[in-house]
C-alpha cells in the first residue's frame, strides 16, 4: 500500500464537499434521508457483538452518545456485529425520531456468534426491536470480502429492496472490505450507500490510496452516497498532523459525502469535531 497519498486525485467529476460543519445535514441521494456529515461509530475494535463501545459500559456509552446528539452528531453508525443496538436504544428512547438517523448492518455469514438467515427480513425485524424503532434509515450488507457479492447475497439484496419499498428501510447499501467489491458497488444501481475505508496513508484499506480514491470519486459521480471510514486508520494515525492531513485529503479530493469516526470519549469527540470543522472551512 502507498505510504502516502498524492495531493490531488484525478478521476470522475464528483460534486465537491460543500458542508462547513460536522453537524450540517446531507441527503442520501433521492431517499430523503438526512444525516449529519459526521457519524458516531459504535464498533471500535468490534466483533462477535462486542466492541470498545460496549466494553465501556452503558453509563459511559450513554454519556458519550448524549454529548454527540447535543453537539450536532445525529448520524449513528452501528451494526449487529458491534452489539450496540440496545445501548443506542436506551439513549435515544423518548427523543423525536427526526432528531437522529440510524444506520446498521447485516452480517451476512454464519459465524459462531451469528446464524445468518440468508436474507434480511428476519434480521431487520430483530434490529428494529433492539433499537426501539419502526424503521431503519440505512441498512447495509456488512463487510463484503469478494467481488461475487451481488450473486452471493442476492436474497439479502432482494429482501432489503422489499423492505425499502415498504419504507421499513429507507436506504440500502454495502460496507466494503475488498477492492473488487468496492468497484462493483460504485457502479451498482441497487446501492444507495457505500461505506469505504479511506485515509491519506493507505492504512487498513482495501487497496492503495491511488487505487481507492478514483473509485470513490466515480461512486460519487454515479450518485452513490459514500461514507468514509477508517479516516484515522483504525486508530493507527494518532499524530495530530496525520489526522489533519487525512481529513484535508479526503475532503479536498471530494471523496466522501459523510464520514464515521469511532470516538470513545467526549474528549475524542471534541477533538474530532474541531479538526473536521477546521478542515471543512479551510
Amino acid at each position: 500500500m502507498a505510504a502516502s497519498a498524492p495531493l490531488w486525485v484525478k478521476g470522475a467529476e464528483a460534486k465537491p464537499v460543500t458542508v462547513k460543519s460536522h453537524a450540517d445535514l446531507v441527503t442520501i441521494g433521492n431517499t430523503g434521508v438526512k444525516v449529519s456529515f459526521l457519524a458516531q461509530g459504535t464498533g471500535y475494535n468490534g466483533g462477535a457483538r462486542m466492541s470498545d463501545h460496549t466494553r465501556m459500559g452503558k453509563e459511559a456509552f450513554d454519556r458519550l452518545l448524549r454529548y454527540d446528539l447535543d453537539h450536532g452528531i445525529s448520524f449513528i453508525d452501528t451494526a449487529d456485529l458491534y452489539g450496540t443496538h440496545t445501548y443506542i436504544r436506551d439513549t435515544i428512547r423518548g427523543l423525536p425520531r427526526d432528531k437522529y438517523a440510524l444506520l446498521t448492518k447485516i452480517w451476512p455469514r454464519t459465524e459462531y456468534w451469528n446464524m445468518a438467515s440468508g436474507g434480511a427480513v428476519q434480521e431487520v425485524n430483530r434490529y428494529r426491536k433492539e433499537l426501539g424503532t419502526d424503521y431503519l434509515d440505512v441498512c447495509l450488507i456488512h463487510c463484503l470480502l469478494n467481488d461475487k457479492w451481488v450473486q452471493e447475497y442476492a436474497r439479502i439484496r432482494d429482501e432489503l429492496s422489499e423492505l425499502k419499498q415498504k419504507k421499513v428501510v429507507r436506504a440500502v447499501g454495502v460496507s466494503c472490505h475488498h477492492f473488487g467489491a468496492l468497484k462493483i458497488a460504485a457502479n451498482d444501481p441497487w446501492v444507495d450507500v457505500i461505506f469505504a475505508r479511506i485515509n491519506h496513508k493507505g492504512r487498513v484499506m482495501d487497496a492503495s490510496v491511488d487505487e481507492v480514491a478514483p473509485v470513490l470519486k466515480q461512486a460519487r459521480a454515479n450518485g452513490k452516497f459514500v461514507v468514509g471510514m477508517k479516516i484515522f486508520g483504525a486508530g493507527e494515525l494518532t499524530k495530530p498532523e496525520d489526522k489533519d492531513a487525512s481529513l484535508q485529503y479526503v475532503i479536498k479530493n471530494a471523496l466522501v459525502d459523510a464520514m464515521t469516526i469511532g470516538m470513545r470519549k467526549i474528549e475524542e469527540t471534541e477533538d474530532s469535531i474541531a479538526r473536521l470543522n477546521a478542515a471543512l472551512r479551510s
Side-chain angles (χ1 to χ4, degrees), residues 263-278:
M263 292 87 69
R264 293 168 293 176
K265 300 177 182 177
I266 288 174
E267 293 80 6
E268 291 180 357
T269 299
E270 292 173 333
D271 183 72
S272 293
I273 288 175
R275 295 185 187 283
L276 175 56
N277 286 344

Side-chain angles (χ1 to χ4, degrees), residues 5-237:
L7 186 61
W8 187 254
V9 176
K10 294 181 180 180
E13 288 300 319
K15 58 186 176 181
V17 176
T18 58
V19 301
K20 298 300 182 183
S21 165
H22 73 284
D24 285 354
L25 297 180
V26 284
T27 304
I28 298 176
N30 60 4
T31 66
V33 177
K34 295 182 182 294
V35 300
S36 58
F37 185 81
L38 177 61
Q40 169 67 59
T42 63
Y44 199 102
N45 288 328
R49 298 202 179 105
M50 295 179 290
S51 71
D52 282 4
H53 287 90
T54 62
R55 287 184 281 270
M56 69 172 59
K58 278 199 171 186
E59 184 177 341
F61 181 91
D62 181 76
R63 187 163 55 249
L64 174 67
L65 188 54
R66 286 185 185 277
Y67 182 89
D68 292 337
L69 292 165
D70 287 343
H71 290 80
I73 303 175
S74 58
F75 189 10
I76 305 171
D77 164 23
T78 184
D80 191 28
L81 178 73
Y82 308 155
T84 47
H85 284 170
T86 57
Y87 283 57
I88 293 166
R89 178 194 64 202
D90 292 346
T91 299
I92 62 177
R93 183 181 284 123
L95 293 178
R97 185 61 180 84
D98 62 354
K99 296 301 182 184
Y100 57 88
L102 295 172
L103 177 149
T104 191
K105 313 176 193 81
I106 295 173
W107 190 263
R109 297 173 287 277
T110 294
E111 313 281 0
Y112 75 89
W113 56 273
N114 180 58
M115 289 298 294
S117 72
V121 172
Q122 178 179 306
E123 284 79 1
V124 167
N125 286 340
R126 173 166 62 85
Y127 299 171
R128 289 191 296 149
K129 184 179 296 184
E130 291 174 349
L131 286 160
T133 184
D134 292 332
Y135 66 91
L136 302 176
D137 295 284
V138 186
C139 190
L140 309 180
I141 307 174
H142 200 174
C143 193
L144 299 182
L145 296 176
N146 61 50
D147 59 2
K148 304 294 190 297
W149 63 270
V150 171
Q151 299 79 22
E152 189 174 355
Y153 300 132
R155 181 181 157 196
I156 298 177
R157 287 162 55 96
D158 289 345
E159 290 190 11
L160 281 175
S161 294
E162 292 171 10
L163 292 166
K164 186 179 173 183
Q165 278 191 320
K166 295 176 181 178
K167 302 188 185 304
V168 174
V169 172
R170 299 178 66 195
V172 300
V174 294
S175 170
C176 294
H177 289 245
H178 181 275
F179 189 51
L182 178 64
K183 289 191 289 184
I184 289 171
N187 294 286
D188 188 339
W190 178 84
V191 172
D192 298 317
V193 179
I194 298 173
F195 262 43
R197 303 190 286 187
I198 183 68
N199 57 74
H200 74 303
K201 287 199 169 182
R203 301 289 177 82
V204 198
M205 282 175 47
D206 300 338
S208 73
V209 186
D210 292 343
E211 293 171 295
V212 170
V215 176
L216 299 188
K217 288 177 75 73
Q218 184 65 60
R220 295 192 70 232
N222 290 343
K224 310 306 177 189
F225 190 88
V226 175
V227 180
M229 57 179 176
K230 306 300 185 287
I231 300 294
F232 298 150
E236 291 186 15
L237 303 179

